[in-house]
Amino acid sequence: MIKVFSDLLYFQSFTNSSSQSKTANIKPISKQNLNILDFKAKSKINRNYYVSLLITACYFAIPIGIVGCSNENQGTQNQASSISKQITNQSVSNTTEKQEVRVVYSKLGSLAVMRKLGTLEKSLAAQNFTVKWLEFAAGPQALEALNAGSLDIAATAESPPIFAQAAGTPLVYVASTAFNGKGVSFLVPANSPIKTVADFKGKKVSFQKASIAHYVLLKALQKEGLKLTDVKSVFLPPPDANVAFSQGGLDVWITWEPYITRAVQKNIGRVLRDGQGLQNLGGFYSTSRKFAKEHPEVLKIFLEELLKADEWSQKNPDKLAELLSPDVGIDIPTLKQIQAKSAYGLIPITEEVVNKQQQIADLWYAQGLLPKKVNVRDGVLTPGEYAAFTPESVKAN
């Protein structure tokens, strides 16, 4: 079972140490301390005597005192007014400071189009937001960052959010994506004798744990009457698995684009099958509950720009390939073939979507891969909250 992140015990240890520190500072009053207290008491009496004399003397100087105090009070009031204005101006200035929204980085798809064209930055400028794109090896790592407060919007397949929920990540589902199962494939070495999933038994099979690759492997094995324990699971993120597969250290590698096409182009692997028929739900865009409550306007702009990028990508396959080719290191004709596998569109978080996600969560729990049963609805917002940022065209779906 993957542990998406560690529990934090800092607060408890800080509290305990603070209590011990306070207890340690309590000391008994010695005779010397009593003498000091007696001296202070006598000093206080003497001070009171001299204060009385001073008040009597000032009584005869009241006219002069009034004038002096009046000028002093006026100066104090002016100074206080000045400080108040400075605080007010500083507060107003802070509200106009630019804020940053941190979005997961992608080299393919509509997210990549938004990043390359800068459309999200332009639209969020009116809301005084800048955009920072952060790259991760896979979905689970992105959700670790979301939990740590260093990412605001993540894009993953269906399984990573479930494992993240099991680990206590306060994520919420923003929208689901269209899918067709073509974006993930089972790779075997070019000269491998493996012909079907049934041949996986006893073989070294690599995949990113708690990812779409993990899920489609489970479903494919079930169709052959096999279990995950029937294969030798090698948990590696795509970059590491790519090295191991290239060096002949793996029998099967389940991954996604552009790793699939790169392996085929280099003639180090061939596609045994893809994920068609193994999925019944697309991926998810997710955020933290805090961000969803504080910035629904940012989420709305994000989804609107995502839909525009979807539409542009579908209408401009040639320009899309030209735009993304430098980032992925794949020639334009091949990249067009990859893009032809894409499924475009957003699906709102409906009762049907939640139920399907719950079925997947229950499947993982039944496999003993979750530490506890996950209630997907813990990551679902209210209808009113979804209405605040879901575009009308998505609601229609």
Side-chain angles (χ1 to χ4, degrees), residues 90-221:
Q90 185 177 3
S91 177
V92 171
S93 175
N94 287 342
T95 60
T96 59
E97 288 182 1
K98 286 188 178 297
Q99 299 182 70
E100 184 178 73
V101 57
R102 298 154 301 178
V103 184
V104 70
Y105 178 107
S106 177
K107 291 182 179 179
L108 290 173
S110 299
L111 275 175
V113 172
M114 291 166 63
R115 177 177 57 81
K116 295 286 284 187
L117 297 181
T119 54
L120 184 60
E121 285 86 345
K122 293 173 186 175
S123 294
L124 283 178
Q127 299 294 328
N128 220 26
F129 268 87
T130 59
V131 181
K132 184 175 183 179
W133 300 90
L134 300 173
E135 187 173 14
F136 301 92
Q141 290 87 343
L143 293 180
E144 286 182 28
L146 187 74
N147 178 65
S150 54
L151 183 68
D152 299 311
I153 301 176
T156 67
E158 76 291 311
S159 293
I162 292 171
F163 282 83
Q165 281 188 279
T169 301
L171 66 80
V172 292
Y173 297 90
V174 174
S176 186
T177 63
F179 70 98
N180 56 25
K182 297 179 181 180
V184 60
S185 292
F186 294 68
L187 287 175
V188 296
N191 59 352
S192 173
I194 295 176
K195 295 182 179 179
T196 68
V197 174
D199 298 330
F200 289 1
K201 189 170 183 178
K203 298 293 192 295
K204 288 185 289 185
V205 182
S206 180
F207 51 91
Q208 165 70 57
K209 200 170 186 180
S211 71
I212 181 61
H214 197 170
Y215 179 70
V216 296
L217 172 62
L218 173 60
K219 298 296 287 186
L221 291 173

